[in-house]
Amino acid sequence: MIDTSFLASTLATLVKGIPLTVQLSLISVSVGAILAFGLALMRVSGNAALDLSARAYIFVYRGTPLLVQIYIIYYGLSQFPALRHSFAWPYLREAYWCAVIALALNTAAYSAEIIRGGILSVNAGQVEAARACGMSQALMFRRIVLPQALRHMLPAYGNEVILMIKSTALASTITLMDVTGIAAKLVSESYRPIEVFMMAGAIYLLLTFVASHGFTLFEHAITPDRRQPAAHRPAEPPEMLQHG
């Protein structure tokens, strides 16, 4: 029989870890998005050195487990005396910031490829037309490339954000008491892993549902043409139909 009183007390305890889980998710995704945008620009810059550097970064972070990356940053960086005497050490010695750094660097590698794909999905004819009209590179990117790239990459980027929310559970391996960290502590005290992790899973399910619904609403807001019935949508130019 399921002990409902134990489930209720477990849920009340696990809820205390939600703020830390949300903080890790928001900060790492925000910092990772900035890094990813820079990496994506390096990939499409046409400069061989920049492209190779971005490729190497993405290859390393996509090809190694996130848990290993967290361990290297948390346990490995302290082995270098220069770092221990640098201005960054007050942050690097804290598990919280090590987790944020590891999560941000990891999501940047995946998000960079998503952003690059969105940029490359923009019709080349529109880019050429913008150049023919005398638009500067920055203006063309802001008015032509970025709005369309955002629409194309948003579903895939939403999936990446959801994955990062779930990946924050790995922060518990370096002593952070997020939802998973508190759940592990409760299991060690109660020896009832099924009930505890069932409640923890329900919390992550709720968080991912909120994130998923938020991206759905945002995608709905930036694509008003897709909300129109098919019979009333404006006809797309032939070149768009060809590349769609």
Side-chain angles (χ1 to χ4, degrees), residues 41 44-46 119-120 122-145 148:
L41 292 182
V44 301
S45 65
I119 293 173
L120 295 179
V122 177
N123 184 266
Q126 297 184 43
V127 175
E128 293 299 326
R131 289 173 178 167
C133 291
M135 282 191 181
S136 65
Q137 191 76 10
L139 183 61
M140 178 189 66
F141 188 82
R142 181 169 60 87
R143 290 189 175 180
I144 306 297
V145 177
Q148 296 186 67

Side-chain angles (χ1 to χ4, degrees), residues 35-241:
L35 296 175
F37 188 71
L39 289 169
L41 292 182
M42 292 169 65
R43 292 280 280 117
V44 301
S45 65
N47 184 294
L50 293 177
D51 183 27
L52 183 60
S53 300
R55 282 175 180 267
Y57 176 93
I58 292 169
F59 174 76
V60 170
Y61 275 92
R62 291 178 68 185
T64 55
L66 175 57
L67 182 60
V68 173
Q69 297 166 18
I70 292 175
Y71 282 167
I72 289 176
I73 292 176
Y74 183 65
Y75 296 109
L77 294 183
S78 62
Q79 306 301 313
F80 298 95
L83 281 176
R84 293 200 302 270
H85 295 89
S86 69
F87 71 94
W89 182 241
Y91 300 98
L92 294 177
R93 70 183 179 185
E94 297 291 338
Y96 177 85
W97 291 111
C98 288
V100 167
I101 292 170
L103 291 168
L105 294 178
N106 182 271
T107 191
Y110 289 91
S111 300
E113 289 297 279
I114 295 173
I115 296 173
R116 183 181 72 91
I119 293 173
L120 295 179
S121 69
V122 177
N123 184 266
Q126 297 184 43
V127 175
E128 293 299 326
R131 289 173 178 167
C133 291
M135 282 191 181
S136 65
Q137 191 76 10
L139 183 61
M140 178 189 66
F141 188 82
R142 181 169 60 87
R143 290 189 175 180
I144 306 297
V145 177
L146 191 59
Q148 296 186 67
L150 179 62
R151 293 171 63 179
H152 294 160
M153 73 183 188
L154 194 60
Y157 187 71
N159 290 336
E160 172 60 21
V161 171
I162 290 172
L163 287 174
M164 287 308 300
I165 293 174
K166 294 185 289 186
S167 296
T168 58
L170 295 175
S172 63
T173 61
I174 54 174
T175 72
L176 288 182
M177 299 304 289
D178 64 337
V179 172
T180 304
I182 295 176
K185 183 175 181 293
L186 288 176
V187 169
S188 66
E189 294 173 349
S190 65
Y191 298 99
R192 302 174 72 170
I194 295 179
E195 294 95 327
V196 173
F197 285 121
M198 185 170 65
M199 289 294 98
I203 290 175
Y204 281 107
L205 186 63
L206 176 62
L207 293 176
T208 55
F209 172 78
V210 171
S212 177
H213 191 61
F215 273 98
T216 300
L217 292 177
F218 183 54
E219 184 179 5
H220 186 74
I222 67 174
T223 54
D225 56 302
R226 298 180 185 177
R227 300 198 297 268
Q228 301 176 14
H232 300 287
R233 289 180 186 174
E236 293 185 342
E239 64 273 13
M240 292 296 291
L241 294 175

